[in-house]
Amino acid sequence: MKVPQMLLLVLCLRMGHSVPVPLCDLQEDSSNVLSDNVAKHPLTIKGCVGKFSSREVYVLNVHYTRNMMLLQLEVSRDSLEGEMPGQPPVLIVNTDTEVPIYITGSANYLPVILQYPRSVISTLDYLVHWNVSQEDLPKNSEELLQWAKANYSEVTFFAELQNPKKIYLDLKHDKTGPETCMLQDNFQAMDILQADYNAAEIQTCTVPNAEPIKNAYIVHVTHQHPHPSHKEIDINVFINNGPCRHPPMVYLKSEEGYSWNIHNNEDIGIKASGNSTLHTFGIPAEPLPETRDELLSVARSNGGTDLKSISYIQVFDARSVRLSVSCVSEEIAPTTKKPEDQCLKLINTTLHYMCNEEKLIISMSKEVMKACNLQSLEEITSESTECSAEIVEDYILLSTSKAECGGRVVNNQIINSLTIKRDDKQIFYKILMCEIPTIKVEVFQYPNFTLPTKTFNADKITYVRVDTTFINRSVSKCDLSVGDKILTLKRDRPQLSAEYFSWIFNTEGLSLPESSSAKLSCAFCYGYDIPVDCCLNRSLDVAIVNKSNPQSRGLGMESVLGITFGTFLIGALLTAALWFIYTRTRSSFKMQPVPTMPGGSESSSTNHSIDSTQSTPCSTSSRA
């Protein structure tokens, strides 16, 4: 071999060691496995603090650029802060969307003045100790700050936030702060406020290995606006389908000078840049590269043929991170499945919840007790541990009124939670948001649902349509109550559109009683087969008419006989009256003398002429 060829071969071999392992194709994660990953930090878009005066005033200005179902706010007060000031603190929560507000925390039991925008529809009646009102609040932070100062002279704390998942506010005043609250960009709220945020970026790629057995996760935290003193990141790692036969690998990458405080009870592999602690045990730092592609290359190389996927999670300015990871599912015979796997699977597949205007009902299979190895029903509770479940037939049921057991009603939704513990350790937790269903009952004259009416025609079919926007519920029946009679309408085909789910009922084959009014009642029930009633009932006042004679319902046999007898009686009375008049008149004519005129023939002739022309029955009768 010639020298140039040997040099080229050596160069290729040396370069081969520096070429990174081919990376997988990163895609936006759509599996929802990582949807629970959140980062918590105290950084605000704008904010400030002011020295405490006679009253504490806290102002939050929250903006959303994406759809959110709920603005969650946990308000607390440390007992070390001492007694509440003479005047109750003021909390102003402003938002530029109509998202409802849901408030929890220990401060719920303290006297607080809450003000929020008129555009927000929230039911905050559960804040029984709070004075709640709605105001016209400016959206701009500078204007909102001036509005608060104009109404309360000074502001204790102000924060502008964007897209928080949950806000944690501690009502504590800064005794050493500046005299007045002056807004600063990228303000660090530190001990007063923190908020949960979605990760800035979550991407996952599938590694083309023949028999993969584990996943890898990279958490990359960067600080665009670092706090001068806070250099520690808390991280909580949870396995959502564990324990794992082959634990996942987690890489924690931070900037220089930061350390990790790892809270983990799961069996996972961890490599972290910076010094770390795990349950007070020190873990030496691992050298990790700086860029995303280099981190992916390290994870790909270390995992080798065992890797199924690599997930890259980028987080900004995090003070703490919650990371949810998963095991690679394996084909295991049902008889050898671990109790934990069967437990969570059974809960997720049999858990249902439903509500009406009065209560929330949570149900699941009673086999959950066995699969999860639960010792008592008291281990299954709602938000308030005072309310526990019961077994009814084949189901575990937890039924609460809308305002009890820690429940809240926010924007026509009943909000509560379900907690399942085993040996005092939480194995399942879920926030339940049940929208109280709406139902609409309409009556139509034609099957194409035109010309709505409130009239039932006794001679023709009348169509009843029941609409709802929730397809996991059903209408059990519609009845027509007429007097003391109840008629069940015939149920026809259901129909589904983009807006609603409908059931059609008609009066075909019904013999409608003769009445002018009736009540249409429809029972609207959930489609789940559970031994408890959770229905809504809607009614509609309607009229019954005869189409052939809309103005008259016709005469019955009793009416005809009554009219005939009345006519006969009136005729008899009239005949009797005429006979009485006749007899009285006849007697009068018999007793009257005939006048005579003295004198000549002319007078006699005249009198005779008059007499001869009498033609009344009475005069004829007198001659006879």
Side-chain angles (χ1 to χ4, degrees):
M1 182 178 293
K2 297 180 180 179
V3 174
Q5 292 174 326
M6 292 182 64
L7 290 174
L8 182 60
L9 176 61
V10 172
L11 181 62
C12 290
L13 292 173
R14 291 179 59 86
M15 290 181 63
H17 292 287
S18 62
V19 176
V21 178
L23 302 179
C24 53
D25 184 21
L26 283 173
Q27 302 291 334
E28 292 294 328
D29 188 86
S30 59
S31 64
N32 291 326
V33 172
L34 300 175
S35 61
D36 289 335
N37 291 343
V38 294
K40 180 188 292 185
H41 62 72
L43 181 66
T44 65
I45 297 176
K46 293 181 180 180
C48 61
V49 294
K51 183 175 290 187
F52 169 70
S53 56
S54 59
R55 164 175 269 171
E56 302 173 25
V57 180
Y58 303 84
V59 185
L60 303 179
N61 196 17
V62 185
H63 306 295
Y64 286 105
T65 59
R66 59 173 68 100
N67 292 330
M68 293 291 290
M69 295 183 61
L70 204 63
L71 194 166
Q72 297 186 66
L73 176 60
E74 183 176 307
V75 184
S76 59
R77 185 177 180 87
D78 195 329
S79 59
L80 297 178
E81 286 292 305
E83 296 294 329
M84 296 288 290
Q87 300 183 76
V90 177
L91 174 59
I92 301 171
V93 181
N94 190 32
T95 178
D96 53 5
T97 64
E98 297 181 0
V99 59
I101 301 171
Y102 179 50
I103 299 177
T104 60
S106 61
N108 284 10
Y109 304 98
L110 301 175
V112 176
I113 297 174
L114 172 66
Q115 295 177 322
Y116 66 99
R118 297 186 189 277
S119 59
V120 175
I121 303 175
S122 287
T123 304
L124 300 172
D125 297 340
Y126 58 90
L127 299 172
V128 295
H129 299 284
W130 288 31
N131 184 353
V132 180
S133 64
Q134 292 181 277
E135 304 288 342
D136 295 318
L137 301 175
K139 296 180 180 179
N140 179 270
S141 288
E142 291 283 357
E143 296 175 0
L144 182 60
L145 177 62
Q146 296 307 316
W147 183 92
K149 287 183 176 181
N151 283 273
Y152 300 103
S153 74
E154 190 49 75
V155 170
T156 310
F157 174 76
F158 187 102
E160 178 182 338
L161 308 172
Q162 182 170 316
N163 297 325
K165 291 191 68 173
K166 186 175 182 178
I167 302 172
Y168 305 86
L169 176 65
D170 192 0
L171 301 182
K172 58 169 58 178
H173 45 264
D174 191 342
K175 301 179 179 64
T176 61
E179 292 296 329
T180 185
C181 192
M182 301 291 292
L183 288 180
Q184 304 173 33
D185 292 338
N186 304 314
F187 177 74
Q188 294 279 359
M190 292 308 294
D191 296 332
I192 300 179
L193 178 141
Q194 293 194 69
D196 288 339
Y197 297 87
N198 287 320
E201 180 182 17
I202 301 178
Q203 293 180 309
T204 299
C205 65
T206 301
V207 182
N209 285 326
E211 296 181 357
I213 57 175
K214 64 181 179 180
N215 298 318
Y217 298 86
I218 302 170
V219 179
H220 191 183
V221 179
T222 58
H223 293 81
Q224 297 174 320
H225 307 285
H227 191 272
S229 60
H230 181 71
K231 297 292 183 180
E232 186 177 73
I233 305 171
D234 291 334
I235 183 163
N236 294 268
V237 184
F238 301 89
I239 297 179
N240 54 46
N241 62 344
C244 303
R245 177 175 295 181
H246 302 285
M249 189 69 195
V250 177
Y251 298 86
L252 304 177
K253 171 61 183 174
S254 61
E255 295 165 321
E256 185 178 356
Y258 283 85
S259 61
W260 295 86
N261 185 17
I262 304 170
H263 304 274
N264 173 49
N265 293 317
E266 311 283 0
D267 184 13
I268 59 174
I270 294 180
K271 287 189 176 183
S273 65
N275 293 322
S276 306
T277 57
L278 175 62
H279 303 299
T280 71
F281 293 99
I283 302 176
E286 295 275 353
L288 294 176
E290 298 295 329
T291 67
R292 182 191 69 176
D293 288 345
E294 289 175 328
L295 289 167
L296 289 169
S297 180
V298 169
R300 180 74 170 86
S301 299
N302 291 342
T305 59
D306 292 340
L307 276 184
K308 180 180 181 180
S309 69
I310 306 174
S311 296
Y312 176 80
I313 302 105
Q314 185 176 21
V315 180
F316 295 139
D317 300 295
R319 185 171 180 175
S320 67
V321 178
R322 174 188 170 94
L323 177 66
S324 176
V325 300
S326 61
C327 315
V328 173
S329 58
E330 301 181 54
E331 296 296 330
I332 304 175
T335 54
T336 62
K337 274 193 174 180
K338 298 180 181 180
E340 289 79 6
D341 293 338
Q342 284 282 46
C343 169
L344 293 176
K345 179 180 179 180
L346 192 59
I347 293 174
N348 289 317
T349 55
T350 64
L351 174 62
H352 298 295
Y353 55 93
M354 59 215 79
C355 58
N356 57 22
E357 296 99 332
E358 301 299 330
K359 59 186 176 181
L360 170 70
I361 298 176
I362 306 167
S363 72
M364 69 188 78
S365 171
K366 71 175 183 180
E367 296 301 319
V368 167
M369 296 293 295
K370 181 178 178 181
C372 298
N373 195 24
L374 303 181
Q375 303 301 315
S376 169
L377 286 170
E378 294 180 355
E379 296 176 304
I380 304 175
T381 65
S382 59
E383 183 71 20
S384 172
T385 56
E386 297 176 357
C387 302
S388 57
E390 60 178 343
I391 292 181
V392 180
E393 297 182 9
D394 295 330
Y395 298 89
I396 298 173
L397 295 180
L398 182 57
S399 179
T400 70
S401 71
K402 61 183 180 182
E404 293 180 350
C405 303
R408 308 282 190 271
V409 179
V410 179
N411 199 20
N412 201 44
Q413 288 185 326
I414 298 178
I415 303 176
N416 210 315
S417 66
L418 175 65
T419 302
I420 301 178
K421 294 183 178 181
R422 180 177 57 226
D423 299 329
D424 292 329
K425 180 182 178 182
Q426 179 177 299
I427 61 173
F428 182 85
Y429 177 80
K430 184 174 183 178
I431 294 179
L432 307 178
M433 302 174 63
C434 182
E435 184 170 355
I436 300 173
T438 57
I439 180 172
K440 184 179 181 181
V441 179
E442 291 181 291
V443 179
F444 296 89
Q445 296 179 354
Y446 301 102
N448 59 354
F449 306 115
T450 58
L451 298 178
T453 182
K454 288 189 177 181
T455 300
F456 272 72
N457 193 315
D459 299 331
K460 291 187 177 181
I461 297 176
T462 305
Y463 296 88
V464 177
R465 187 173 72 184
V466 182
D467 297 340
T468 177
T469 53
F470 302 95
I471 61 175
N472 64 331
R473 299 159 171 87
S474 65
V475 174
S476 60
K477 64 177 180 176
C478 282
D479 295 334
L480 191 65
S481 302
V482 187
D484 58 351
K485 296 183 178 180
I486 298 179
L487 304 175
T488 299
L489 276 63
K490 178 182 178 182
R491 179 169 176 168
D492 207 340
R493 65 193 186 282
Q495 65 179 20
L496 177 65
S497 72
E499 293 82 19
Y500 49 75
F501 204 59
S502 300
W503 290 265
I504 298 94
F505 296 81
N506 63 58
T507 57
E508 184 178 9
L510 289 183
S511 177
L512 297 179
E514 294 183 3
S515 176
S516 59
S517 63
K519 184 180 289 292
L520 174 66
S521 301
C522 292
F524 184 57
C525 303
Y526 283 78
Y528 307 128
D529 183 22
I530 61 173
V532 66
D533 173 38
C534 189
C535 300
L536 292 92
N537 296 282
R538 292 292 182 270
S539 61
L540 187 68
D541 291 327
V542 296
I544 299 177
V545 300
N546 190 325
K547 185 66 176 177
S548 60
N549 185 8
Q551 303 301 324
S552 174
R553 293 288 302 163
L555 298 177
M557 181 61 68
E558 296 84 355
S559 300
V560 173
L561 292 176
I563 293 173
T564 302
F565 179 76
T567 304
F568 170 77
L569 184 60
I570 292 172
L573 291 174
L574 287 174
T575 303
L578 289 174
W579 177 255
F580 176 76
I581 294 171
Y582 162 71
T583 55
R584 296 290 295 174
T585 304
R586 177 182 179 188
S587 301
S588 173
F589 272 107
K590 281 186 176 181
M591 292 187 300
Q592 184 178 356
V594 178
T596 57
M597 295 295 293
S601 61
E602 183 177 356
S603 300
S604 301
S605 173
T606 302
N607 185 63
H608 174 76
S609 173
I610 294 174
D611 184 57
S612 64
T613 57
Q614 295 291 331
S615 59
T616 63
C618 293
S619 62
T620 304
S621 176
S622 65
R623 288 192 186 92

